[in-house]
Amino acid sequence: MASLPVIPGHGGFVQPSSYLRPRRQSQPMTSPKPESAIDRDQRIALQRIRDFLKVRTSYDVLPLSFRLIIFDTSLLVKKSLTILTQNGIVSAPLWDSKTSTFAGLLTTSDYINLIQYYWQNPDAVNRIDQFKLNSLRDIEKAIGVSPLETASIHPLKPLYEACRRMLETRARRIPLVDVDDETGRAMVVSVVTQYRILKFVAVNVHETQLLRKPLRHLKLGTYKNLETAKMETPVFDVIHQLVNCNISSVPILNSDGVVTNVFEAVDVITLIKGANYDELNLNVGEALQKRSEDFPGIYTCHIDDRLDTIFDTIRKSRVHRLVVIDEDSRLVGVLTLSDILEYILLEGEGDDSR
């Protein structure tokens, strides 16, 4: 006769429901799926990159010699455009001389905001030439967009922290702000971009060669709801796409869906230099003809290209994004440096199984 289950603390009494309860059967333990060689290499490479970023500082990324241009917030917007184009740059830190403080980072987005304001208030075009950089905040409020980028980091902080800060703020570059030992005031040292960081990794972390998984398996990049335009599309329409979708480029396709070019946010600066806002009435094809002769062109890749080859491209060329195309050069997706930076920092970060 089988023994009956006994309730602790109740002597030999048995609850009637005990007869109805099925006995727990032990479940066989399933062994974890073995890690493939390519998965192991990918994991090791990502860990080496993160370890590298955690022991290097933003100072380490800076070249031995460089030039830094800082704009006072009292400078006219028109003059700032001239300085940017003359020096071949697309952004600059801002400095408030009245308070002796860092006032944010001027980027292409701020000029696009100005264009949006002009489009919404055509009667204000005569006043735009008198706008100063410190009036950009008023323009942002008037058109309801995000304020100037004000994120910064100390140059001696680990490079890993700078990367995380950029991801958190969706910034493509971050100013390095130190403190003067004698005056105790902030001091802008330089600006670090996503490209410079990724190239620094590509040059110094040899384990990037282990990143042999193709983009298709990594699901890296954007492949749905892509914004596109044609050569005949008015520039104003493309600017609205950049603003409404918070993107920095729009692929240009022909009637067969083949990628023929890319309109970038920085192309806007070329159009409005000298405060010639009439150039905004051009179509995309006409606007792209105004690019400088040394424009490097657009970079493309395929969905089956591996991340190690993309890092190799970053190491050799000044890349800001790659357009993913198929065998017939039709658009498949867009891979940005932000996508790559997010992947190498966050992929599998919360996996404690190994």
PDB file of all heavy atoms in Angstrom, residues 81-104:
ATOM      1  N   LEU A  81      27.979  80.848 -41.553  1.00  0.00           N
ATOM      2  CA  LEU A  81      27.923  80.025 -42.762  1.00  0.00           C
ATOM      3  C   LEU A  81      29.170  80.208 -43.615  1.00  0.00           C
ATOM      4  O   LEU A  81      29.741  79.243 -44.122  1.00  0.00           O
ATOM      5  CB  LEU A  81      26.683  80.405 -43.577  1.00  0.00           C
ATOM      6  CG  LEU A  81      25.385  79.666 -43.255  1.00  0.00           C
ATOM      7  CD1 LEU A  81      24.205  80.335 -43.951  1.00  0.00           C
ATOM      8  CD2 LEU A  81      25.491  78.209 -43.676  1.00  0.00           C
ATOM      9  N   THR A  82      29.587  81.455 -43.744  1.00  0.00           N
ATOM     10  CA  THR A  82      30.782  81.750 -44.543  1.00  0.00           C
ATOM     11  C   THR A  82      32.015  81.081 -43.954  1.00  0.00           C
ATOM     12  O   THR A  82      32.828  80.487 -44.679  1.00  0.00           O
ATOM     13  CB  THR A  82      31.001  83.271 -44.626  1.00  0.00           C
ATOM     14  OG1 THR A  82      29.850  83.892 -45.194  1.00  0.00           O
ATOM     15  CG2 THR A  82      32.223  83.592 -45.473  1.00  0.00           C
ATOM     16  N   ILE A  83      32.147  81.143 -42.643  1.00  0.00           N
ATOM     17  CA  ILE A  83      33.315  80.545 -41.983  1.00  0.00           C
ATOM     18  C   ILE A  83      33.309  79.027 -42.140  1.00  0.00           C
ATOM     19  O   ILE A  83      34.357  78.401 -42.400  1.00  0.00           O
ATOM     20  CB  ILE A  83      33.344  80.940 -40.495  1.00  0.00           C
ATOM     21  CG1 ILE A  83      33.511  82.455 -40.358  1.00  0.00           C
ATOM     22  CG2 ILE A  83      34.467  80.213 -39.759  1.00  0.00           C
ATOM     23  CD1 ILE A  83      33.357  82.961 -38.936  1.00  0.00           C
ATOM     24  N   LEU A  84      32.144  78.407 -41.989  1.00  0.00           N
ATOM     25  CA  LEU A  84      32.056  76.954 -42.137  1.00  0.00           C
ATOM     26  C   LEU A  84      32.489  76.517 -43.534  1.00  0.00           C
ATOM     27  O   LEU A  84      33.287  75.586 -43.688  1.00  0.00           O
ATOM     28  CB  LEU A  84      30.624  76.479 -41.867  1.00  0.00           C
ATOM     29  CG  LEU A  84      30.116  76.512 -40.427  1.00  0.00           C
ATOM     30  CD1 LEU A  84      28.691  75.981 -40.351  1.00  0.00           C
ATOM     31  CD2 LEU A  84      31.013  75.712 -39.496  1.00  0.00           C
ATOM     32  N   THR A  85      31.952  77.185 -44.552  1.00  0.00           N
ATOM     33  CA  THR A  85      32.270  76.785 -45.928  1.00  0.00           C
ATOM     34  C   THR A  85      33.727  77.077 -46.274  1.00  0.00           C
ATOM     35  O   THR A  85      34.366  76.291 -46.983  1.00  0.00           O
ATOM     36  CB  THR A  85      31.332  77.510 -46.910  1.00  0.00           C
ATOM     37  OG1 THR A  85      31.386  78.925 -46.682  1.00  0.00           O
ATOM     38  CG2 THR A  85      29.904  77.040 -46.745  1.00  0.00           C
ATOM     39  N   GLN A  86      34.267  78.167 -45.782  1.00  0.00           N
ATOM     40  CA  GLN A  86      35.663  78.484 -46.063  1.00  0.00           C
ATOM     41  C   GLN A  86      36.623  77.486 -45.445  1.00  0.00           C
ATOM     42  O   GLN A  86      37.700  77.226 -45.979  1.00  0.00           O
ATOM     43  CB  GLN A  86      35.990  79.896 -45.561  1.00  0.00           C
ATOM     44  CG  GLN A  86      35.393  81.017 -46.399  1.00  0.00           C
ATOM     45  CD  GLN A  86      35.702  82.388 -45.845  1.00  0.00           C
ATOM     46  OE1 GLN A  86      36.120  82.526 -44.677  1.00  0.00           O
ATOM     47  NE2 GLN A  86      35.510  83.423 -46.648  1.00  0.00           N
ATOM     48  N   ASN A  87      36.228  76.904 -44.319  1.00  0.00           N
ATOM     49  CA  ASN A  87      37.105  75.969 -43.608  1.00  0.00           C
ATOM     50  C   ASN A  87      36.727  74.504 -43.830  1.00  0.00           C
ATOM     51  O   ASN A  87      37.367  73.614 -43.259  1.00  0.00           O
ATOM     52  CB  ASN A  87      37.090  76.283 -42.109  1.00  0.00           C
ATOM     53  CG  ASN A  87      37.788  77.592 -41.783  1.00  0.00           C
ATOM     54  OD1 ASN A  87      39.005  77.630 -41.620  1.00  0.00           O
ATOM     55  ND2 ASN A  87      37.016  78.665 -41.683  1.00  0.00           N
ATOM     56  N   GLY A  88      35.698  74.269 -44.622  1.00  0.00           N
ATOM     57  CA  GLY A  88      35.337  72.896 -44.952  1.00  0.00           C
ATOM     58  C   GLY A  88      34.832  72.099 -43.772  1.00  0.00           C
ATOM     59  O   GLY A  88      35.089  70.894 -43.670  1.00  0.00           O
ATOM     60  N   ILE A  89      34.117  72.750 -42.856  1.00  0.00           N
ATOM     61  CA  ILE A  89      33.564  72.057 -41.689  1.00  0.00           C
ATOM     62  C   ILE A  89      32.048  72.227 -41.679  1.00  0.00           C
ATOM     63  O   ILE A  89      31.499  73.095 -42.365  1.00  0.00           O
ATOM     64  CB  ILE A  89      34.163  72.576 -40.366  1.00  0.00           C
ATOM     65  CG1 ILE A  89      33.937  74.091 -40.224  1.00  0.00           C
ATOM     66  CG2 ILE A  89      35.644  72.248 -40.288  1.00  0.00           C
ATOM     67  CD1 ILE A  89      34.447  74.671 -38.909  1.00  0.00           C
ATOM     68  N   VAL A  90      31.363  71.396 -40.901  1.00  0.00           N
ATOM     69  CA  VAL A  90      29.898  71.437 -40.889  1.00  0.00           C
ATOM     70  C   VAL A  90      29.335  71.663 -39.490  1.00  0.00           C
ATOM     71  O   VAL A  90      28.109  71.651 -39.314  1.00  0.00           O
ATOM     72  CB  VAL A  90      29.311  70.141 -41.483  1.00  0.00           C
ATOM     73  CG1 VAL A  90      29.693  70.007 -42.945  1.00  0.00           C
ATOM     74  CG2 VAL A  90      29.765  68.917 -40.695  1.00  0.00           C
ATOM     75  N   SER A  91      30.185  71.877 -38.509  1.00  0.00           N
ATOM     76  CA  SER A  91      29.714  72.130 -37.146  1.00  0.00           C
ATOM     77  C   SER A  91      30.781  72.894 -36.375  1.00  0.00           C
ATOM     78  O   SER A  91      31.953  72.918 -36.779  1.00  0.00           O
ATOM     79  CB  SER A  91      29.390  70.820 -36.419  1.00  0.00           C
ATOM     80  OG  SER A  91      30.576  70.074 -36.190  1.00  0.00           O
ATOM     81  N   ALA A  92      30.368  73.505 -35.262  1.00  0.00           N
ATOM     82  CA  ALA A  92      31.315  74.243 -34.428  1.00  0.00           C
ATOM     83  C   ALA A  92      30.713  74.429 -33.032  1.00  0.00           C
ATOM     84  O   ALA A  92      29.502  74.645 -32.897  1.00  0.00           O
ATOM     85  CB  ALA A  92      31.634  75.609 -35.041  1.00  0.00           C
ATOM     86  N   PRO A  93      31.556  74.348 -31.990  1.00  0.00           N
ATOM     87  CA  PRO A  93      31.067  74.636 -30.632  1.00  0.00           C
ATOM     88  C   PRO A  93      30.691  76.109 -30.510  1.00  0.00           C
ATOM     89  O   PRO A  93      31.255  76.969 -31.197  1.00  0.00           O
ATOM     90  CB  PRO A  93      32.273  74.293 -29.747  1.00  0.00           C
ATOM     91  CG  PRO A  93      33.178  73.466 -30.593  1.00  0.00           C
ATOM     92  CD  PRO A  93      32.959  73.925 -31.997  1.00  0.00           C
ATOM     93  N   LEU A  94      29.746  76.391 -29.620  1.00  0.00           N
ATOM     94  CA  LEU A  94      29.304  77.761 -29.362  1.00  0.00           C
ATOM     95  C   LEU A  94      29.779  78.201 -27.991  1.00  0.00           C
ATOM     96  O   LEU A  94      29.815  77.419 -27.044  1.00  0.00           O
ATOM     97  CB  LEU A  94      27.777  77.858 -29.442  1.00  0.00           C
ATOM     98  CG  LEU A  94      27.144  77.564 -30.807  1.00  0.00           C
ATOM     99  CD1 LEU A  94      25.625  77.600 -30.703  1.00  0.00           C
ATOM    100  CD2 LEU A  94      27.641  78.549 -31.844  1.00  0.00           C
ATOM    101  N   TRP A  95      30.122  79.493 -27.907  1.00  0.00           N
ATOM    102  CA  TRP A  95      30.635  80.058 -26.659  1.00  0.00           C
ATOM    103  C   TRP A  95      29.889  81.354 -26.347  1.00  0.00           C
ATOM    104  O   TRP A  95      29.746  82.220 -27.200  1.00  0.00           O
ATOM    105  CB  TRP A  95      32.130  80.335 -26.777  1.00  0.00           C
ATOM    106  CG  TRP A  95      32.761  80.801 -25.499  1.00  0.00           C
ATOM    107  CD1 TRP A  95      33.065  82.085 -25.143  1.00  0.00           C
ATOM    108  CD2 TRP A  95      33.142  79.979 -24.406  1.00  0.00           C
ATOM    109  NE1 TRP A  95      33.621  82.115 -23.893  1.00  0.00           N
ATOM    110  CE2 TRP A  95      33.686  80.833 -23.405  1.00  0.00           C
ATOM    111  CE3 TRP A  95      33.086  78.608 -24.148  1.00  0.00           C
ATOM    112  CZ2 TRP A  95      34.159  80.358 -22.189  1.00  0.00           C
ATOM    113  CZ3 TRP A  95      33.561  78.140 -22.944  1.00  0.00           C
ATOM    114  CH2 TRP A  95      34.097  79.007 -21.981  1.00  0.00           C
ATOM    115  N   ASP A  96      29.379  81.448 -25.127  1.00  0.00           N
ATOM    116  CA  ASP A  96      28.705  82.665 -24.676  1.00  0.00           C
ATOM    117  C   ASP A  96      29.732  83.530 -23.954  1.00  0.00           C
ATOM    118  O   ASP A  96      30.120  83.235 -22.817  1.00  0.00           O
ATOM    119  CB  ASP A  96      27.547  82.306 -23.741  1.00  0.00           C
ATOM    120  CG  ASP A  96      26.675  83.510 -23.399  1.00  0.00           C
ATOM    121  OD1 ASP A  96      27.188  84.650 -23.455  1.00  0.00           O
ATOM    122  OD2 ASP A  96      25.493  83.315 -23.069  1.00  0.00           O
ATOM    123  N   SER A  97      30.181  84.580 -24.625  1.00  0.00           N
ATOM    124  CA  SER A  97      31.235  85.426 -24.045  1.00  0.00           C
ATOM    125  C   SER A  97      30.731  86.238 -22.859  1.00  0.00           C
ATOM    126  O   SER A  97      31.537  86.665 -22.020  1.00  0.00           O
ATOM    127  CB  SER A  97      31.799  86.365 -25.118  1.00  0.00           C
ATOM    128  OG  SER A  97      30.767  87.156 -25.682  1.00  0.00           O
ATOM    129  N   LYS A  98      29.429  86.442 -22.755  1.00  0.00           N
ATOM    130  CA  LYS A  98      28.895  87.212 -21.628  1.00  0.00           C
ATOM    131  C   LYS A  98      28.994  86.436 -20.329  1.00  0.00           C
ATOM    132  O   LYS A  98      29.251  87.010 -19.266  1.00  0.00           O
ATOM    133  CB  LYS A  98      27.436  87.599 -21.899  1.00  0.00           C
ATOM    134  CG  LYS A  98      27.264  88.596 -23.040  1.00  0.00           C
ATOM    135  CD  LYS A  98      25.795  88.972 -23.204  1.00  0.00           C
ATOM    136  CE  LYS A  98      25.625  90.006 -24.322  1.00  0.00           C
ATOM    137  NZ  LYS A  98      24.203  90.382 -24.509  1.00  0.00           N
ATOM    138  N   THR A  99      28.778  85.138 -20.411  1.00  0.00           N
ATOM    139  CA  THR A  99      28.841  84.309 -19.203  1.00  0.00           C
ATOM    140  C   THR A  99      30.090  83.436 -19.158  1.00  0.00           C
ATOM    141  O   THR A  99      30.306  82.715 -18.176  1.00  0.00           O
ATOM    142  CB  THR A  99      27.599  83.404 -19.130  1.00  0.00           C
ATOM    143  OG1 THR A  99      27.559  82.571 -20.305  1.00  0.00           O
ATOM    144  CG2 THR A  99      26.327  84.242 -19.065  1.00  0.00           C
ATOM    145  N   SER A 100      30.895  83.496 -20.229  1.00  0.00           N
ATOM    146  CA  SER A 100      32.104  82.662 -20.342  1.00  0.00           C
ATOM    147  C   SER A 100      31.776  81.185 -20.133  1.00  0.00           C
ATOM    148  O   SER A 100      32.406  80.484 -19.340  1.00  0.00           O
ATOM    149  CB  SER A 100      33.171  83.118 -19.333  1.00  0.00           C
ATOM    150  OG  SER A 100      33.597  84.430 -19.631  1.00  0.00           O
ATOM    151  N   THR A 101      30.754  80.735 -20.859  1.00  0.00           N
ATOM    152  CA  THR A 101      30.326  79.344 -20.730  1.00  0.00           C
ATOM    153  C   THR A 101      30.133  78.705 -22.098  1.00  0.00           C
ATOM    154  O   THR A 101      29.878  79.380 -23.093  1.00  0.00           O
ATOM    155  CB  THR A 101      28.994  79.234 -19.959  1.00  0.00           C
ATOM    156  OG1 THR A 101      28.007  80.043 -20.617  1.00  0.00           O
ATOM    157  CG2 THR A 101      29.162  79.686 -18.520  1.00  0.00           C
ATOM    158  N   PHE A 102      30.264  77.394 -22.124  1.00  0.00           N
ATOM    159  CA  PHE A 102      29.975  76.601 -23.316  1.00  0.00           C
ATOM    160  C   PHE A 102      28.474  76.659 -23.571  1.00  0.00           C
ATOM    161  O   PHE A 102      27.662  76.457 -22.661  1.00  0.00           O
ATOM    162  CB  PHE A 102      30.430  75.163 -23.085  1.00  0.00           C
ATOM    163  CG  PHE A 102      29.940  74.176 -24.104  1.00  0.00           C
ATOM    164  CD1 PHE A 102      30.389  74.234 -25.413  1.00  0.00           C
ATOM    165  CD2 PHE A 102      29.042  73.180 -23.749  1.00  0.00           C
ATOM    166  CE1 PHE A 102      29.945  73.317 -26.358  1.00  0.00           C
ATOM    167  CE2 PHE A 102      28.593  72.259 -24.678  1.00  0.00           C
ATOM    168  CZ  PHE A 102      29.047  72.333 -25.988  1.00  0.00           C
ATOM    169  N   ALA A 103      28.078  76.945 -24.817  1.00  0.00           N
ATOM    170  CA  ALA A 103      26.666  77.192 -25.116  1.00  0.00           C
ATOM    171  C   ALA A 103      26.066  76.172 -26.079  1.00  0.00           C
ATOM    172  O   ALA A 103      24.971  76.387 -26.585  1.00  0.00           O
ATOM    173  CB  ALA A 103      26.502  78.606 -25.682  1.00  0.00           C
ATOM    174  N   GLY A 104      26.747  75.085 -26.331  1.00  0.00           N
ATOM    175  CA  GLY A 104      26.193  74.063 -27.198  1.00  0.00           C
ATOM    176  C   GLY A 104      27.004  73.864 -28.456  1.00  0.00           C
ATOM    177  O   GLY A 104      28.100  74.410 -28.613  1.00  0.00           O
TER     178      GLY A 104
END
